[in-house]
Amino acid sequence: ALMVVDSGHKTGYFKDYKYLVTTTRTGHQIIFLDRKQELDSLLYLVFLSIIIFVLGLSVIFVLLWFLSKPIIEPVIENIRKQREFIANASHEIKTPLSIISADTDVIEIEHGKDEWTSSIKEQIVRLNELIKSLLTLSKMDAVMPKEISTHFDIAEVVQNTAEDFRPVATNEDINFSVNMPDNPVPFDGNIEGVEQLTSVLLNNAFKYTPKDGVINLRLSKKGRGVILDVTNTTDQMPKGDLKRLFERFYRDDSSRSRQTGSYGIGLSIAQAITKQHKGHISAKKLGDRTILFRAVLNPNG
């Protein structure tokens, strides 16, 4: 009782007793209530709940351990077969395309070049690009980042890739600017993947940027990773959810895509590359005529 009074609290717990302190004319009156049975019951309930929770998780884990493999195996097998089909079909299509291309050259030699032979060659180029893109996607689905990681200066790789688009910008009267960090940016990743990511984003920007438009490429550091931004002006802003732009074979405007030769694969390749580098890619509208594509890449290691 003296310890309760010295604590200065009017109510609370002292060991297994709940107490209430009241002040009278002659001193303090303290009422103690034995709560040992209730407290023991509560502890027993908590302990029992923990045991049931652990047993329940164990049962679920055992069930998943034995059932997940037969459930997931068909899905894995289906994905594997899809990759094999894409690879095999792509290789098989290359042979007739080569024959068609050779036959077209013979026709042009014997009868001269005309709009029909030119159209055939254009379609052969488009089909070859489609095959190349499909093989790239299939390869990226199968290869893990750690198997393709090397140490390099990512700023130099992005800069060199961007310089290949200078003639295109000059020919189409497009204001093309590149902003790089002042110092080298060491990075662990896939050099070919970074080159292709840069090429895909710039190629996409040049396809939809009108004459006298503006394209800006910017590389900046973010911790141990980097941010690659490609901004371009456009006459026809994509409609709906911009996340769909990264879906395979998605085209916002079919007629416009046919005119530019797009199959809706390029941005899905860009997304696959960013995922390989533990990052992500996004698109954002900056007003009515400007769109930003941002790829965040993190080192593999």
Side-chain angles (χ1 to χ4, degrees), residues 9-47:
H9 299 295
K10 296 297 183 180
T11 183
Y13 278 90
F14 182 79
K15 295 184 178 181
D16 294 333
Y17 295 91
K18 186 175 183 179
Y19 63 84
L20 175 66
V21 180
T22 59
T23 304
T24 64
R25 289 180 299 175
T26 57
H28 296 287
Q29 180 180 358
I30 308 173
I31 302 172
F32 288 95
L33 179 63
D34 188 355
R35 300 295 301 273
K36 179 176 175 58
Q37 184 175 358
E38 289 84 350
L39 291 175
D40 288 345
S41 298
L42 180 61
L43 290 175
Y44 175 76
L45 179 61
V46 172
F47 178 76

Side-chain angles (χ1 to χ4, degrees), residues 23 61 88 189:
T23 304
F61 177 79
N88 294 335

Side-chain angles (χ1 to χ4, degrees), residues 89-105 120-121 123-132:
S90 299
H91 285 298
E92 290 296 328
I93 293 173
K94 282 185 176 180
T95 301
L97 285 178
S98 300
I99 296 174
I100 294 172
S101 179
D103 291 346
T104 305
D105 291 336
I120 292 172
K121 285 192 170 183
Q123 297 308 315
I124 290 173
V125 171
R126 291 187 64 194
L127 285 174
N128 280 324
E129 289 297 322
L130 173 60
I131 292 171
K132 182 179 178 181

Side-chain angles (χ1 to χ4, degrees), residues 82-151:
Q82 285 182 1
R83 288 202 300 263
E84 289 182 354
F85 172 77
I86 291 174
N88 294 335
S90 299
H91 285 298
E92 290 296 328
I93 293 173
K94 282 185 176 180
T95 301
L97 285 178
S98 300
I99 296 174
I100 294 172
S101 179
D103 291 346
T104 305
D105 291 336
V106 173
I107 293 174
E108 288 184 341
I109 293 173
E110 294 184 353
H111 304 284
K113 185 177 180 180
D114 55 34
E115 59 178 314
W116 309 112
T117 57
S118 298
S119 177
I120 292 172
K121 285 192 170 183
E122 288 177 2
Q123 297 308 315
I124 290 173
V125 171
R126 291 187 64 194
L127 285 174
N128 280 324
E129 289 297 322
L130 173 60
I131 292 171
K132 182 179 178 181
S133 299
L134 289 173
L135 288 173
T136 300
L137 284 174
S138 179
K139 181 180 178 182
M140 287 180 177
D141 288 339
V143 178
M144 296 302 292
K146 64 181 180 180
E147 298 174 352
I148 55 177
S149 180
T150 55
H151 189 73

Side-chain angles (χ1 to χ4, degrees), residues 154-170:
I154 191 171
E156 180 181 3
V157 172
V158 173
Q159 178 73 48
N160 292 339
T161 306
E163 290 303 319
D164 293 338
F165 288 83
R166 290 289 182 188
V168 181
T170 302

